[in-house]
Amino acid sequence: MGKEPAAPREQRHSQLLRGVLDLCLLALIAERPRFGYEIVEALGESGLELVSEGSIYPLLARMERNGLADTYRAPSPSGGAPRKYYRPTEAGLAELEAGRTAWLAFRGAVDQALSAGAPTEDTPEEGK
Amino acid sequence: MGKEPAAPREQRHSQLLRGVLDLCLLALIAERPRFGYEIVEALGESGLELVSEGSIYPLLARMERNGLADTYRAPSPSGGAPRKYYRPTEAGLAELEAGRTAWLAFRGAVDQALSAGAPTEDTPEEGK
DNA sequence: TTCATTATCTTGCGGTGCAAGACACTCCTG
DNA sequence: CAGGAGTGTCTTGCACCGCAAGATAATGAA
């Protein structure tokens, strides 16, 4: 005993983000160059409020290392540490496009799987 | 170089499944009791073809251990090892309901985040 | 100088999908 | 009766990654 997860409900969110978080980042920096802090806020506005900096900085660094994004620095206009702006490379844009497709397919598959045994089930799917 | 993952594209699928796979299983056994092999096939029909037995048996066992599902055995009608049927408990149904809600919220958030910098958009970003 | 603000980066932990393979039960054939 | 094939279940070990927590850095104001 004592090995209970204790918070299985909130943990689901963490697991859900996997495999999609990098895509979201790519989409965000594809819209326009952004820096870390800004991205956290942008994600929050999308409804992904639980994403924190500890999640995205390593991810951003990995993307840069893998050649999906490149960066440049610029001083902070409001005083403070200089900002590091991220912007997708060609490879990054390609990855984003592939990822969008994968997400759409996955989303459809999960929707269908979850519709099984749904409570609102009038869906009179023909008997096979 | 030389430490590249080699297959980042196919790996995304694995990561996407996290946090949702248990929900799919719950939905499937909520529709009617099912056994392992059957579940793999059902998932495949939904589009989740890459899910293999190595993924779901441990998951099924975990759900049983956590009181989300209970089981009973029945002989295989077509000869072979006896089947182990899974069916959700009350707690399992509650978890399924909560999970559906979480999935819907997450899905919307990701859709919105991914719509940023979409190619179909007139992206009027000026050349800086 | 010292402090507050803004922002980036690192470490260690914990959860989990999956490939690979071992094991179990039943029927069929000779 | 023995052997084989088909059908299902279960276990081990690994690799991946989000995240809490905290360290670090740069700038401007008091």
Side-chain angles (χ1 to χ4, degrees), chain A residues 40-95:
Chain A
V40 174
E41 288 179 12
L43 287 174
E45 289 177 12
S46 291
L48 268 16
E49 310 187 9
L50 300 187
V51 179
S52 63
E53 301 140 39
S55 303
I56 67 163
Y57 281 114
L59 214 173
L60 247 14
R62 195 186 314 148
M63 295 196 328
E64 187 179 4
R65 211 165 34 239
N66 288 17
L68 298 177
D70 54 8
T71 68
Y72 62 92
R73 292 203 180 250
S76 176
S78 54
R83 295 169 172 176
K84 189 172 180 181
Y85 284 89
Y86 290 81
R87 143 177 277 171
T89 61
E90 284 295 320
L93 289 175
E95 179 70 18

Side-chain angles (χ1 to χ4, degrees), chain B residues 62-75:
Chain B
R62 194 186 315 149
M63 296 196 328
E64 187 178 6
R65 209 161 38 235
N66 289 17
L68 297 178
D70 55 8
T71 68
Y72 61 92
R73 294 203 176 249

Side-chain angles (χ1 to χ4, degrees), chain A residues 87-104:
Chain A
R87 143 177 277 171
T89 61
E90 284 295 320
L93 289 175
E95 179 70 18
L96 174 57
E97 221 29 57
R100 270 198 244 259
T101 302
W103 163 250
L104 253 31

